Amino acid sequence: MNNSINIGLLGLGTVGSGVVHIIDQHQDKLKHQVGCSVTISKILVNDLHKERDVHLNGSRLTTDADDILNDPEVDVILEVMGGIEESRKYILQALENKKHVVTANKDLVAVYGSELLQAAAKNKCDLFYEASVAGGIPIIRSLVDGLASDKITKMMGILNGTTNYILTKMTKEGRDYNEVLKEAQDLGYAESDPTADVEGIDAARKTAILGTLGFSMPIELEDVNVAGISNVTTEDLDYSHELGLTMKLIGIAERTGNKVEVSVQPTLFPHSHPLASVNDEFNAVYVYGEAVGETMFYGPGAGKLPTATAVVSDLVEVMKNMRLGVNGNKVSEPQFEKQLKSDDEIFSKYFLRIHAKDQAGTFSELTSVFSENDVSLEKILQRPVEGQEVAEIIVTTHKVSKQNYDSVLKALAELDVVDHVKSSYRVEGGK
Amino acid sequence: MNNSINIGLLGLGTVGSGVVHIIDQHQDKLKHQVGCSVTISKILVNDLHKERDVHLNGSRLTTDADDILNDPEVDVILEVMGGIEESRKYILQALENKKHVVTANKDLVAVYGSELLQAAAKNKCDLFYEASVAGGIPIIRSLVDGLASDKITKMMGILNGTTNYILTKMTKEGRDYNEVLKEAQDLGYAESDPTADVEGIDAARKTAILGTLGFSMPIELEDVNVAGISNVTTEDLDYSHELGLTMKLIGIAERTGNKVEVSVQPTLFPHSHPLASVNDEFNAVYVYGEAVGETMFYGPGAGKLPTATAVVSDLVEVMKNMRLGVNGNKVSEPQFEKQLKSDDEIFSKYFLRIHAKDQAGTFSELTSVFSENDVSLEKILQRPVEGQEVAEIIVTTHKVSKQNYDSVLKALAELDVVDHVKSSYRVEGGK
C-alpha cells in the first residue's frame, strides 16, 4: 500500500485554486482521516506562465492532459475545468487508465453521467460528483450513505441560486421579473444569457442527478418535465401570499412503488414550510426517507470554497475506498430500470388564477368544470378587477391527478365565461 | 482480514429492534459499502423469554454482559440500552477489550464523553455517537467530515423536540405554557417530570457534545449557560411576532479566536430565518463554517427508525475504518484546551420587555440607562397597559456585550420608574 496518494488536478481556475488551498491547509487532518499523505503532483492549465495567487507547494504545471492522464503514478483525477466534451474525453481516458475521478461538473454529469458511471464501474474506479449538485451541501453523500439503511421516496430541491435570488427579490420587494433579472445580471448573479437558469434547465440537470442517485434509476435530462420562472408575475406572488403560500422553483423527484416522477416548476409552499424560508442565493434539498422521515439540507449552492470543500470531501472518500479496496462499488450505479409515471399517476395540489366574466352564472359554470373532472377545491378567492368587466378568481385544489387537472385547464380555456387562464402552479408541502 | 464483522448489541428495546431490522433488511447494501458481511452475533437483554416482534436471524440472546464484552469474536458493540452508570461500565470494558463502540446515549456522552473518548483513543478504538444528538440528522458526521477541510465558527441548534413542540403550539395557537405542556404530557410528547426538557438541560447536553466536536475542545455540561422555556408567556410571543421575530429554544456554541461561548436559551429569530420555520417536534442545526458559509441540517430528533438509522450509519463507518486500519484516529478527541469567553466577550442582540410608570420623563430615564452602558437600541415599541398606570415598553438592541446588557438589566430593576422587567431574550439570525 502506498504511503502517499498522488492527485492530478484538471483546471486551476476559481475552484481549482480553492482545492489546492484546502489540501495545503489541511494536510495533517487528511492524513489522520485516511492514514496516508496526499500530494497534488500535476495540474493541467492553459498557460504555464500566468501569474497565479496560489501556493503550488511543488505541484508541476502542464498544458498536456496526457502527461497527467497517462502517468501511472497519478491515482486520482480531480476535474474542475468545466465544459462538456473535453472533460468527458479526459475523464473517460482517466477511468480507462484505472484512475479514480472526482468532478464538480454538473453539466457533464447530467448529460453523460450514465456513460461515465458505466466506465467507472467497468474499470472498478470511483467517480464522485458531490460538488455538481448544491456545492456547499453534502446532499449526494447523505443520499448515498442514507441508501445503505433507508429508502428514499421523495426529494424536493431549490437547486438554482440565480432563480431563488430573483424569486426572493420579487416576493419581498414586489418588483417585477424583468427588473430583478436585470439587477441580478448587473450584479453578476445571473448570466447575460440567463436561459439555462430561468427556464429551469440547470435545476432540471441537478434534479436528474438527484433522482438517479436517490432512486437508483438512470434518469436523464429529457425525463424531466421542466417549467421556468420567466412568466411569474408579481400578481401571482401577491395572491399566493394572501393564501399563505410562498413560491420557489423546485425540482421534484417522487417515487410510488417502482414508478417515478421527475419535474422542475415554480411551486407554492405554505409560509411555515422549511423550503419557504430558503432565500436569496441559498439552495436546499428536502428529502423523505421511509425510515428517517423528513430531513432537509440547506446551504450555499455555489462559490469557490464551498465547491472546493465538496471536491475535497469526495477525494477523502476515494482515498478511504482505495485503502479499503472497495472502489467502484455498485452504490452509485443505477440498479433499477427506469419507469416514469404517466399523468394519471402524478398527484399534487394546484393554485389556479383565472380572469372570468363578472356576471351571474359564471361561478357555477366554472365549478361544474372542476367537478366533472373530479377536481375538488380547497380555497376560493374572488374579487372584481378594477376598471374591467372581469373578476379575478383564484382557487387552490385538493390533491388531484395531473391528468384530471390538465383536463380542467383545457376545458376552462374553452369556456365563454373565462377571459383568460392567468396562471397555474403546483402546491406542495401541506398536509 | 475477516470476511464477516461480528456485532454485540446491548439492548433490544425500541431502538435495538430497529437496528436488528435495518441490518437484516440491508445486508447486501452493507456488504457493498464495506466489502464484508455483518452479523449480529449476540444481544444483551433482561429477559430471555419475552415475546419479541423482531426477526433475530440467528443472533443469540444473553442476560450476561460479560458473555458479549469478553467474547474475542465480537468486533463492535452497539449500546442502545440507555441509562448512565451501567452503560458507562460496559462501554469502558468493551474498549479495554479493543472493541469499537457505537452508542445512541446522549445522557452518557454528555456526562462521560471525555472519559469514554480517552479510553477509546488509548485502546485505538472507535467510539461513535451520531444518534445521541438529533437522531435523524447526520450532524455529527457532517461536523467531523467537514472539519477535515473547514473551520466551524458557530452552531445554533433546535435540539429538543418537546420544547420545540410546546413553543410551536404556543406561538401558532396563542395558548399558554402550562396548558400546552399538559397537552404534550397527555399525548406522550413530554415526560411526566418534564424538567430536563423544559429547563433546557437536555438541549444543554447536546450543545456540549456539538461544541466539543465542532471546536475540538472538551466542553462539559457545566460550561453551558442554561435557561429554559418555563417562564415564556404568550405576551412575549405576541410582542415578538409584532417585531417580526419567532421564538425557539436554541443551543449556541460560538467561537471567536480560541475562545468559545456555549449556552442554551429561548432565542428570537426573524421570521425569514431558516430556524424560525423548524416547527413541532423537528430538530435542526445551523452551522457556520469559514469555507462553506452557512448550512443547516433539519430532521426528526428522535424516533425508533431515525435513531436506528443513525446507529447503523455509525456502524458502517466503524467497519470501514476497521478495514482501513484507521480506527481510533484523533478527529473526535478534543485537540484544544478549553477557553470560555467572559461576559465582555459575548456579543448578541436582545429583546427586552418592561412595564414602566406611564408618566413624563420615564422614557428619558430609561434611555439614559441604555446609553450609559453603551447599549444602543434598534427598535422601540411603547403602549399603555389597559386598566393600569403603566406603559408596556419593548425594545430590541443592536449587538452589545453580555456584560453591558446585564448592567442595563440591573440598573433598570433599580429605577423608580420601572415597575417590572417582564422578560428578556437573546436575538439571533439578523444582519
Side-chain angles (χ1 to χ4, degrees):
Chain A
M1 200 168 278
N2 292 335
N3 280 323
S4 177
I5 287 176
N6 289 313
I7 309 297
L9 183 65
L10 308 184
L12 191 55
T14 309
V15 177
S17 42
V19 169
V20 171
H21 175 76
I22 286 176
I23 290 180
D24 184 44
Q25 292 288 302
H26 297 276
Q27 192 60 243
D28 286 351
K29 283 184 186 169
L30 291 171
K31 199 165 178 174
H32 267 310
Q33 287 208 309
V34 183
C36 71
S37 66
V38 187
T39 310
I40 299 180
S41 56
K42 292 178 181 173
I43 304 176
L44 180 68
V45 295
N46 285 320
D47 177 358
L48 291 178
H49 305 293
K50 190 173 157 186
E51 284 269 351
R52 294 172 199 278
D53 187 23
V54 56
H55 180 58
L56 288 179
N57 209 11
S59 312
R60 201 161 65 68
L61 300 186
T62 173
T63 56
D64 178 7
D66 285 338
D67 185 20
I68 299 178
L69 301 172
N70 296 337
D71 180 348
E73 299 288 312
V74 169
D75 306 294
V76 186
I77 297 292
L78 309 183
E79 187 273 303
V80 291
M81 52 189 266
I84 296 194
E85 291 309 330
E86 211 170 26
S87 307
R88 168 174 169 252
K89 199 183 85 184
Y90 293 165
I91 290 179
L92 287 173
Q93 187 179 339
L95 293 170
E96 280 298 328
N97 290 340
K98 314 290 180 203
K99 297 181 194 320
H100 310 295
V101 174
V102 174
T103 174
N105 192 329
K106 61 176 180 279
D107 300 357
L108 176 68
V109 175
V111 179
Y112 291 115
S114 295
E115 181 193 14
L116 298 176
L117 285 170
Q118 273 170 27
K122 197 187 85 185
N123 292 291
K124 297 205 182 312
C125 286
D126 280 334
L127 172 69
F128 290 157
Y129 44 94
E130 181 69 72
S132 70
V133 179
I137 310 178
I139 180 62
I140 290 183
R141 176 157 309 115
S142 299
L143 290 180
V144 172
D145 287 356
L147 276 175
S149 48
D150 201 354
K151 187 169 183 181
I152 289 158
T153 54
K154 185 172 183 178
M155 291 169 281
M156 298 195 291
I158 295 174
L159 300 168
N160 179 271
T162 304
T163 47
N164 204 44
Y165 175 86
I166 293 172
L167 286 176
T168 302
K169 288 283 168 189
M170 288 176 70
T171 302
K172 294 205 167 170
E173 299 172 10
R175 293 156 64 202
D176 87 357
Y177 170 76
N178 287 308
E179 186 187 333
V180 176
L181 171 61
K182 184 163 182 324
E183 183 189 88
Q185 287 172 321
D186 292 345
L187 291 168
Y189 296 168
E191 309 276 340
S192 55
D193 176 0
T195 314
D197 289 327
V198 301
E199 297 306 343
I201 299 158
D202 176 73
R205 287 186 187 125
K206 294 166 180 169
T207 306
I209 297 174
L210 288 182
T212 299
L213 259 175
F215 303 146
S216 202
M217 282 185 198
I219 292 163
E220 290 164 86
L221 185 54
E222 69 211 46
D223 300 323
V224 188
N225 213 327
V226 188
I229 64 163
S230 56
N231 296 318
V232 173
T233 65
T234 48
E235 290 78 37
D236 294 338
L237 298 179
D238 289 346
Y239 285 115
S240 309
H241 185 81
E242 229 173 291
L243 293 170
L245 299 168
T246 303
M247 186 181 292
K248 297 292 170 189
L249 182 68
I250 298 289
I252 295 182
E254 185 164 9
R255 164 163 65 186
T256 315
N258 296 321
K259 289 192 153 186
V260 302
E261 180 223 347
V262 198
S263 62
V264 169
Q265 62 268 300
T267 304
L268 296 166
F269 288 88
H271 295 329
S272 63
H273 192 278
L275 284 170
S277 301
V278 176
N279 289 320
D280 302 320
E281 73 284 12
F282 278 92
N283 285 15
V285 185
Y286 205 87
V287 181
Y288 297 74
E290 273 183 9
V292 85
E294 302 177 30
T295 55
M296 186 176 90
F297 301 86
Y298 165 99
K304 171 179 176 170
L305 288 178
T307 307
T309 303
V311 169
V312 174
S313 302
D314 275 348
L315 172 62
V316 169
E317 203 66 22
V318 168
M319 296 191 297
K320 285 189 174 181
N321 286 345
M322 283 174 69
R323 306 210 66 216
L324 280 173
V326 296
N327 297 101
N329 67 23
K330 289 269 172 74
V331 177
S332 50
E333 206 194 1
Q335 298 181 345
F336 303 107
E337 205 185 326
K338 179 173 67 188
Q339 291 193 63
L340 300 174
K341 290 185 185 183
S342 54
D343 283 357
D344 61 337
E345 297 171 308
I346 296 172
F347 288 84
S348 165
K349 297 180 173 193
Y350 292 93
F351 164 105
L352 174 65
R353 187 159 81 89
I354 304 166
H355 279 188
K357 295 211 166 50
D358 200 358
Q359 65 190 30
T362 294
F363 208 78
S364 103
E365 280 204 51
L366 294 179
T367 47
S368 47
V369 167
F370 286 102
S371 61
E372 277 160 21
N373 288 287
D374 259 346
V375 170
S376 61
L377 301 181
E378 187 178 66
K379 285 183 187 165
I380 299 167
L381 194 71
Q382 174 169 1
R383 63 181 55 157
V385 177
E386 224 162 294
Q388 295 181 44
E389 305 262 295
V390 298
E392 181 91 64
I393 297 175
I394 290 138
V395 302
T396 57
T397 73
H398 286 293
K399 231 174 194 185
V400 299
S401 81
K402 187 170 187 308
Q403 187 174 52
N404 287 356
Y405 183 72
D406 286 346
S407 304
V408 165
L409 288 183
K410 201 163 158 241
L412 287 176
E414 286 167 2
L415 278 191
D416 277 345
V417 299
V418 172
D419 207 60
H420 204 151
V421 175
K422 301 291 286 183
S423 59
S424 165
Y425 299 108
R426 188 157 170 166
V427 177
E428 289 281 344
K431 296 286 166 210
Chain B
M1 200 169 276
N2 293 334
N3 280 323
S4 176
I5 288 176
N6 289 313
I7 309 298
L9 183 64
L10 308 185
L12 191 55
T14 310
V15 176
S17 41
V19 168
V20 171
H21 175 76
I22 287 176
I23 291 180
D24 184 44
Q25 292 289 302
H26 298 275
Q27 192 60 244
D28 286 351
K29 283 183 186 171
L30 291 170
K31 198 165 178 175
H32 267 310
Q33 286 208 311
V34 184
C36 70
S37 66
V38 187
T39 310
I40 299 180
S41 54
K42 291 179 181 172
I43 304 176
L44 180 68
V45 294
N46 284 321
D47 177 357
L48 292 178
H49 307 291
K50 190 174 158 187
E51 285 270 349
R52 296 173 199 276
D53 187 20
V54 56
H55 180 59
L56 289 178
N57 209 12
S59 312
R60 200 161 66 67
L61 300 185
T62 172
T63 56
D64 178 8
D66 286 338
D67 184 20
I68 298 179
L69 301 171
N70 296 336
D71 180 347
E73 299 289 310
V74 169
D75 306 295
V76 186
I77 297 291
L78 310 183
E79 187 273 302
V80 291
M81 51 189 265
I84 297 194
E85 291 308 332
E86 210 170 26
S87 307
R88 168 173 168 253
K89 198 182 86 184
Y90 293 165
I91 290 178
L92 288 173
Q93 187 180 339
L95 293 169
E96 280 298 327
N97 290 341
K98 314 290 180 201
K99 300 183 194 315
H100 310 294
V101 174
V102 174
T103 172
N105 192 328
K106 62 175 181 278
D107 300 355
L108 175 69
V109 174
V111 179
Y112 291 114
S114 296
E115 181 193 16
L116 298 176
L117 284 170
Q118 274 170 26
K122 198 186 85 187
N123 292 291
K124 297 205 183 311
C125 287
D126 280 334
L127 172 69
F128 290 155
Y129 45 95
E130 181 68 72
S132 70
V133 180
I137 311 177
I139 180 63
I140 291 183
R141 176 157 309 114
S142 299
L143 289 179
V144 172
D145 287 356
L147 276 175
S149 47
D150 201 354
K151 186 169 184 181
I152 288 157
T153 54
K154 185 173 183 178
M155 291 169 281
M156 298 195 291
I158 296 174
L159 301 168
N160 180 271
T162 304
T163 46
N164 203 45
Y165 175 87
I166 293 173
L167 286 176
T168 301
K169 289 282 168 190
M170 288 176 70
T171 302
K172 294 205 167 170
E173 300 172 9
R175 292 155 64 201
D176 86 357
Y177 170 77
N178 288 308
E179 186 187 334
V180 176
L181 172 61
K182 184 164 181 325
E183 183 189 87
Q185 286 172 321
D186 292 344
L187 291 168
Y189 296 168
E191 309 276 341
S192 56
D193 176 0
T195 314
D197 290 326
V198 302
E199 298 306 343
I201 298 158
D202 176 73
R205 287 185 187 124
K206 295 167 179 169
T207 306
I209 297 174
L210 288 182
T212 299
L213 259 175
F215 303 146
S216 203
M217 281 184 198
I219 292 164
E220 290 164 86
L221 184 56
E222 69 211 45
D223 301 323
V224 187
N225 213 327
V226 188
I229 65 164
S230 57
N231 295 319
V232 172
T233 64
T234 48
E235 291 78 35
D236 294 338
L237 298 179
D238 290 345
Y239 285 114
S240 308
H241 185 80
E242 230 174 292
L243 293 170
L245 299 168
T246 303
M247 186 181 293
K248 297 292 170 189
L249 182 68
I250 298 290
I252 295 182
E254 184 164 11
R255 164 162 66 185
T256 314
N258 297 321
K259 289 192 153 185
V260 301
E261 180 223 345
V262 197
S263 62
V264 169
Q265 61 268 299
T267 304
L268 296 166
F269 288 87
H271 295 328
S272 62
H273 192 279
L275 284 171
S277 301
V278 176
N279 289 320
D280 302 320
E281 73 283 12
F282 278 92
N283 285 16
V285 185
Y286 205 86
V287 181
Y288 296 75
E290 273 183 8
V292 84
E294 302 178 28
T295 54
M296 186 175 89
F297 302 85
Y298 164 99
K304 170 179 176 169
L305 288 178
T307 307
T309 303
V311 169
V312 175
S313 302
D314 275 349
L315 171 63
V316 169
E317 203 65 21
V318 168
M319 296 190 297
K320 284 189 173 182
N321 286 345
M322 283 175 69
R323 306 210 66 215
L324 280 173
V326 296
N327 297 101
N329 67 23
K330 288 269 172 73
V331 177
S332 51
E333 205 195 2
Q335 298 181 346
F336 303 107
E337 204 186 326
K338 178 173 68 189
Q339 291 193 64
L340 298 175
K341 290 185 185 184
S342 55
D343 284 357
D344 60 338
E345 296 171 309
I346 296 172
F347 288 85
S348 165
K349 298 179 173 194
Y350 291 93
F351 165 104
L352 174 64
R353 187 158 81 89
I354 303 166
H355 278 187
K357 297 211 165 51
D358 201 357
Q359 65 191 32
T362 294
F363 209 78
S364 104
E365 281 204 51
L366 293 179
T367 48
S368 46
V369 167
F370 287 102
S371 61
E372 276 161 20
N373 289 286
D374 259 347
V375 170
S376 62
L377 301 181
E378 187 178 66
K379 284 184 187 164
I380 299 167
L381 193 72
Q382 175 169 0
R383 62 182 54 160
V385 177
E386 224 163 295
Q388 295 181 45
E389 304 263 295
V390 298
E392 182 92 63
I393 297 175
I394 289 139
V395 302
T396 57
T397 73
H398 286 292
K399 230 174 193 184
V400 300
S401 81
K402 185 169 189 307
Q403 186 174 52
N404 288 356
Y405 183 72
D406 286 347
S407 303
V408 165
L409 287 184
K410 200 162 159 242
L412 287 175
E414 286 166 3
L415 278 191
D416 278 346
V417 299
V418 172
D419 207 61
H420 205 151
V421 175
K422 301 291 286 183
S423 60
S424 165
Y425 299 108
R426 189 156 169 166
V427 178
E428 289 282 343
K431 295 287 166 208

